[in-house]
Amino acid sequence: MNRVDGKIAIVSGGARGIGGESARRLAEHGAQVIVADLLEAEGEANVAAIRDAGGEAQFVRLDVTDAQSWEAAVAAARSAYGGVDILVNNAGVYIPKPILETTQEDFAKLVSVNLEGVFLGTKICAPEMMRRAESNPAGSAIVNISSAAGLVGSRNAPIYSMTKGGVRLLTKSTALEFARRGIRCNSVHPGLIDTPMGGMVLNARGEEGNNAVRAAVANAHPLGRIGEPTDIAAGVVFLASDDAAFITGAELAVDGGVTAA
Ligand SMILES: NC(=O)c1ccc[n+]([C@@H]2O[C@H](COP(=O)([O-])OP(=O)(O)OC[C@H]3O[C@@H](n4cnc5c(N)ncnc54)[C@H](O)[C@@H]3O)[C@@H](O)[C@H]2O)c1
């Protein structure tokens, strides 16, 4: 059975990385997907990959920090597929600087994309998701991509960690606000994942492509490896699906055990 069969999903930051894989995995499991991102060429390429695999998807240019852009994404989901059942708030940015080196511009950028983007996506998609839930007993679902650095502090990226901690609690408050209105909301907390952003995390610890750095970071994860986007996408599909119908306000660490210690 396709666990998100017939559902309509918006994936922010869906062009590449974790969002790209989540969009492909949702489509593979039967969802119609709006791939929403700033990156048009990569977003269109991901849509083409989904269609080549027999799935349904459309690209929409989205800037998560812009309310009008979110309104346009919801309108596109409505006109293409009939609404929104699943929202994956995945778009994010990473600025690895200690507090002493972080500028106010860095701080504003991290808060604007990683926190305000999740707030706007939730606020603007929720009315449509509540409407869809009226005719679907299993309801709608929001999945917020936080981080292992949203569960514990970070030496390398303290303000990033602050925003991801904010996403963790925004998730729980969203779960409470919408629990009787047909929307569940949960967060996913990835460890280091092999994506362009994962590459920035590795760079912050040493030279790019340095195998010793990769090995050290892999070894810091109790399961002994760096994660893949598919590891996260599997958690996203589960939390978005009706299999998770009694789960809301929860945090799913998909981090190779890094926050278990
Ligand atoms: N890769 C990791 O190790 C890791 C670990 C923990 C959490 N995360 C989180 O997972 C999510 C995805 O990360 P990733 O590794 O795939 O990163 P990535 O940089 O590979 O992809 C992020 C995507 O978000 C898009 N994006 C950025 N700003 C945007 C904006 N204003 N509007 C719309 N789209 C925007 C980018 O264009 C890009 O396609 C992020 O929220 C990130 O913080 C990643």
Side-chain angles (χ1 to χ4, degrees), residues 12-20 36-39 42-43 61-66 69-70 89-94 109 112-114 117-118 144-150 160 163-164 188-201 226-227 229 232 254:
S12 78
R16 71 179 191 195
I18 289 169
D37 205 296
L38 284 172
L39 302 176
E42 288 90 337
R61 190 186 178 282
L62 171 73
D63 178 351
V64 293
T65 67
D66 178 50
S69 184
W70 273 111
N89 279 313
N90 161 81
V93 291
Y94 179 75
K109 172 86 177 171
S112 159
V113 178
N114 294 1
V118 176
N144 291 333
I145 307 301
S146 175
S147 173
Y160 172 82
T163 63
K164 292 300 184 175
V188 173
H189 299 260
L192 187 82
I193 309 301
D194 217 346
T195 67
M197 187 187 290
M200 290 176 68
V201 179
I226 286 171
I232 308 304
V254 187

Side-chain angles (χ1 to χ4, degrees), residues 34-243:
I34 298 289
V35 171
D37 205 296
L38 284 172
L39 302 176
E40 298 187 26
E42 288 90 337
E44 292 287 8
N46 203 26
V47 164
I50 289 170
R51 290 184 181 156
D52 286 350
E56 280 190 68
Q58 281 208 5
F59 175 73
V60 169
R61 190 186 178 282
L62 171 73
D63 178 351
V64 293
T65 67
D66 178 50
Q68 280 184 341
S69 184
W70 273 111
E71 300 279 6
V74 172
R78 270 195 88 136
S79 78
Y81 303 126
V84 183
D85 302 301
I86 295 167
L87 168 63
V88 184
N89 279 313
N90 161 81
V93 291
Y94 179 75
I95 303 177
K97 291 185 184 174
I99 292 167
L100 287 176
E101 287 171 26
T102 300
T103 64
Q104 281 184 277
E105 288 72 28
D106 295 331
F107 186 96
K109 172 86 177 171
L110 284 161
V111 169
S112 159
V113 178
N114 294 1
L115 262 181
E116 197 176 2
V118 176
F119 156 68
L120 286 175
T122 302
K123 180 180 163 74
I124 293 167
C125 292
E128 186 57 40
M129 296 176 80
M130 289 190 285
R131 188 187 71 77
R132 290 279 298 179
E134 282 169 15
S135 54
N136 172 10
S140 301
I142 299 174
V143 182
N144 291 333
I145 307 301
S146 175
S147 173
L151 296 171
V152 295
S154 165
R155 256 183 225 98
N156 294 308
I159 308 305
Y160 172 82
S161 168
M162 176 199 80
T163 63
K164 292 300 184 175
V167 169
R168 172 179 175 268
L169 281 187
L170 179 56
T171 299
K172 294 183 194 300
S173 298
T174 302
L176 296 175
E177 180 167 342
F178 294 99
R180 303 287 175 101
R181 299 181 190 180
I183 307 176
R184 296 180 299 99
C185 183
N186 296 288
S187 55
V188 173
H189 299 260
L192 187 82
I193 309 301
D194 217 346
T195 67
M197 187 187 290
M200 290 176 68
V201 179
L202 289 171
N203 286 346
R205 288 165 168 75
E207 203 181 304
E208 187 174 10
N210 181 332
N211 285 336
V213 171
R214 279 189 80 92
V217 171
N219 195 41
H221 291 70
L223 287 179
R225 68 172 172 90
I226 286 171
E228 296 296 331
T230 51
D231 293 315
I232 308 304
V236 169
V237 173
F238 167 64
L239 288 172
S241 79
D242 296 348
D243 288 351

